[in-house]
Amino acid sequence: MTKVTFEKKYYSAVKETVYKTKLSNGLTVSLLPKQDFNEVYGIVTVQFGSVDATYTSLDKGLRHHPAGIAHFLEHKLFERENSEDMMTAFTRLGADSNAFTSFTKTSYLFSTIDYLLDNLDLLDELVGDAHFTEESVLREQDIIHQEREMYQDDPDSRLFFATLANLYPDTPLATDIVGSEKSISEIQVSNLKENFTDFYKPVNMSLFLVGNIDVKVVEEYFSKKENKILEQFTVSKEQLPLQPVKKTDSLRMEVSSPKLAVAIRGTGQITEEESYRYNILLKLLFTMMFGCTSDRFQKLYETGKLDASLSLEVEVNSRFHFVILMMDTKEPVSLSHQFRKAIRQFSSDEDITEEHLDLVKSEMFGEFFSSMNSLEFIATQYDPMDRGETIFDFPKILQEITLEDVLEAGHRLIDNGDLVDFTIFPA
């Protein structure tokens, strides 16, 4: 038996110690003991998401798969060879289980009070073995078609993904994470097998446990599983191509009030190491300009042109980055013009001041430390494979950020960025 030991790192800003190691098979494992909780969250994350439908295999060359393949595979892994649902197996152990697919990742998680090691075995089985049949794939297509229709009936979901499609036309981001009606129907057993083989390797995955954990017990558990062979990761992921954006677009749905999205696409290169900090900088910038503490928001709110529905989505990674503002408004054309003009002229915006930055930072500090009381938040926001800073660095990063840093990030995004708007009008 090879002894597994974890290296520990103390984050003074959050007063937490994270234990981390890499197993012989390449799996990154991280632990955050929090003895004041009874529960444990376990989450396995695969670096494989909706944008990876097209990739380059070092063995087979350029590979194209139907959009939605990552999400489809997430569904199928919960089905055992005997057609039993893996969620039922977790339930028998007293655990809740779930999974979700994003643009770049697929995660599988459980929460439990008892039988931690048994649940870990089950999680390992879930992502380590796959069984597909033509019959089960056809059955799953019907299920996912229904899921897609549900999203299509949701105006906010339609607004977000329609805006994203106009920001990134002719790329995987132009299709919903679940895929299109056509692409879902095109998924076959061969697609699922190839993607599982190429991406579901321990070296491309990470495990994170947070909660009532005994580090020595976990070390012993993984020590018994050591001496597994390291499988090389043979996939190359490319930068998304930047085609010309569709600057404005609209559709009609059954909504009581128009819905507007204003978005900007970054065109420069962001490294993985700087992406977390850059995300924070952009959130600070756009919150100062359009958040509820801004003079702009207050004036629009008081005149009834805007309500509390305004939301901000910031996505930053080394392959693409964008910012989307979404809102309900009775004056979408006028508001779009105002927002786009404000974004282009951000460096002279009256809401971007030292005092306002301090206020927004204070609010973000409060929200962060409140969220740190949630094991689910920590489990879903921390990625052990991050090559740069993580959520445990958040207070330190936020404290060090200056107004000059925010303005510099704004120039980096906006000076050469591409702006679009999208409106949903009442039918």
Side-chain angles (χ1 to χ4, degrees):
M1 184 175 76
T2 302
K3 177 65 175 175
V4 169
T5 56
F6 285 82
E7 295 182 0
K8 61 181 181 179
K9 182 176 181 179
Y10 181 68
Y11 293 87
S12 58
V14 291
K15 297 181 174 58
E16 301 283 8
T17 300
V18 175
Y19 298 77
K20 191 171 183 178
T21 193
K22 179 169 282 195
L23 304 181
S24 57
N25 65 358
L27 179 70
T28 299
V29 182
S30 299
L31 316 174
L32 175 57
K34 292 178 74 70
Q35 308 300 345
D36 48 341
F37 286 82
N38 293 322
E39 199 174 17
V40 177
Y41 265 81
I43 181 167
V44 162
T45 297
V46 188
Q47 304 296 313
F48 172 51
S50 65
V51 298
D52 298 315
T54 297
Y55 61 92
T56 300
S57 166
L58 302 184
D59 304 323
K60 298 166 287 188
L62 190 64
R63 311 302 297 161
H64 295 285
H65 292 281
I69 186 70
H71 174 261
F72 203 108
L73 190 52
E74 172 219 309
H75 273 233
K76 289 305 301 165
L77 289 190
F78 275 92
E79 187 175 309
R80 282 175 156 174
E81 189 172 11
N82 59 5
S83 296
E84 182 185 16
D85 189 340
M86 289 288 279
M87 282 190 175
T88 303
F90 278 108
T91 301
R92 280 203 299 268
L93 291 172
D96 291 326
S97 60
N98 207 341
F100 55 89
T101 303
S102 69
F103 299 124
T104 59
K105 298 170 185 176
T106 308
S107 294
Y108 304 83
L109 66 154
F110 69 81
S111 61
T112 188
I113 295 176
D114 299 309
Y115 306 111
L116 171 61
L117 302 186
D118 292 329
N119 279 292
L120 281 177
D121 285 340
L122 206 54
L123 193 61
D124 181 51
E125 180 185 343
L126 175 62
V127 298
D129 201 7
H131 305 280
F132 311 114
T133 64
E134 297 289 351
E135 181 184 1
S136 69
V137 169
L138 287 172
R139 185 169 60 246
E140 201 65 47
Q141 285 175 346
D142 289 338
I143 294 171
I144 296 179
H145 277 307
Q146 292 173 23
E147 182 180 350
R148 178 183 174 275
E149 288 174 6
M150 180 181 68
Y151 290 129
Q152 290 293 301
D153 290 336
D154 179 0
D156 289 327
S157 178
R158 287 287 299 276
L159 180 64
F160 178 80
F161 283 105
T163 304
L164 202 55
N166 287 352
L167 275 180
Y168 293 92
D170 302 320
T171 75
L173 283 178
T175 306
D176 288 11
I177 288 173
V178 300
S180 67
E181 184 177 2
K182 181 174 183 289
S183 70
I184 293 168
S185 300
E186 291 174 341
I187 292 175
Q188 301 177 8
V189 169
S190 59
N191 303 123
L192 296 167
K193 285 182 176 179
E194 182 169 38
N195 279 266
F196 181 79
T197 300
D198 285 347
F199 287 99
Y200 278 70
K201 296 180 177 180
V203 71
N204 191 46
M205 300 159 66
S206 61
L207 169 68
F208 179 48
L209 298 175
V210 55
N212 189 13
I213 305 162
D214 185 326
V215 176
K216 292 188 180 299
V217 170
V218 179
E219 283 181 339
E220 184 178 345
Y221 171 83
F222 283 110
S223 294
K224 293 177 181 177
K225 293 177 174 288
E226 269 297 68
N227 299 319
K228 290 187 177 180
I229 298 173
L230 172 65
E231 284 187 86
Q232 296 298 324
F233 189 55
T234 57
V235 167
S236 173
K237 301 178 182 181
E238 307 299 330
Q239 192 87 3
L240 291 190
L242 297 182
Q243 308 292 351
V245 299
K246 188 170 185 179
K247 294 185 178 181
T248 187
D249 203 357
S250 65
L251 60 81
R252 291 190 178 274
M253 288 185 70
E254 295 292 337
V255 293
S256 58
S257 175
K259 289 180 175 289
L260 169 68
V262 176
I264 185 165
R265 176 184 77 178
T267 58
Q269 180 67 41
I270 305 297
T271 66
E272 202 65 41
E273 291 75 15
E274 65 180 329
S275 61
Y276 185 72
R277 183 175 184 271
Y278 188 52
N279 185 299
I280 296 171
L281 287 165
L282 294 181
K283 283 182 179 175
L284 286 168
L285 173 63
F286 281 84
T287 301
M288 279 196 288
M289 292 178 66
F290 303 106
C292 61
T293 57
S294 67
D295 288 339
R296 175 178 290 103
F297 178 88
Q298 291 299 324
K299 290 174 182 176
L300 291 170
Y301 185 83
E302 288 169 3
T303 57
K305 296 179 180 179
L306 196 60
D307 61 21
S309 65
L310 179 67
S311 65
L312 171 65
E313 179 76 23
V314 179
E315 181 79 26
V316 177
N317 62 69
S318 61
R319 298 164 70 190
F320 56 87
H321 59 288
F322 60 83
V323 175
I324 298 180
L325 290 154
M326 294 170 51
M327 67 211 79
D328 294 348
T329 175
K330 295 177 180 178
E331 300 183 19
V333 176
S334 171
L335 221 57
S336 173
H337 175 75
Q338 289 183 50
F339 275 41
R340 286 185 286 116
K341 182 179 179 181
I343 291 170
R344 287 298 187 201
Q345 299 177 358
F346 78 96
S347 58
S348 59
D349 196 286
E350 294 180 355
D351 276 311
I352 300 180
T353 64
E354 295 278 4
E355 294 77 17
H356 197 193
L357 177 61
D358 289 341
L359 175 61
V360 172
K361 285 169 68 172
S362 295
E363 289 187 340
M364 290 178 70
F365 268 121
E367 291 172 2
F368 172 79
F369 282 109
S370 176
S371 298
M372 288 296 285
N373 291 319
S374 165
L375 295 184
E376 182 176 10
F377 171 82
I378 298 171
T380 55
Q381 296 302 309
Y382 174 68
D383 181 0
M385 291 183 73
D386 276 334
R387 294 165 183 81
E389 293 154 314
T390 73
I391 63 165
F392 302 120
D393 297 296
F394 179 84
K396 180 176 180 292
I397 296 170
L398 197 58
Q399 186 175 22
E400 294 174 349
I401 285 174
T402 66
L403 186 62
E404 288 72 24
D405 295 329
V406 175
L407 289 169
E408 181 182 345
H411 283 294
R412 189 174 181 183
L413 172 72
I414 296 168
D415 287 357
N416 296 305
D418 298 310
L419 274 166
V420 306
D421 68 16
F422 196 101
T423 307
I424 296 179
F425 292 104

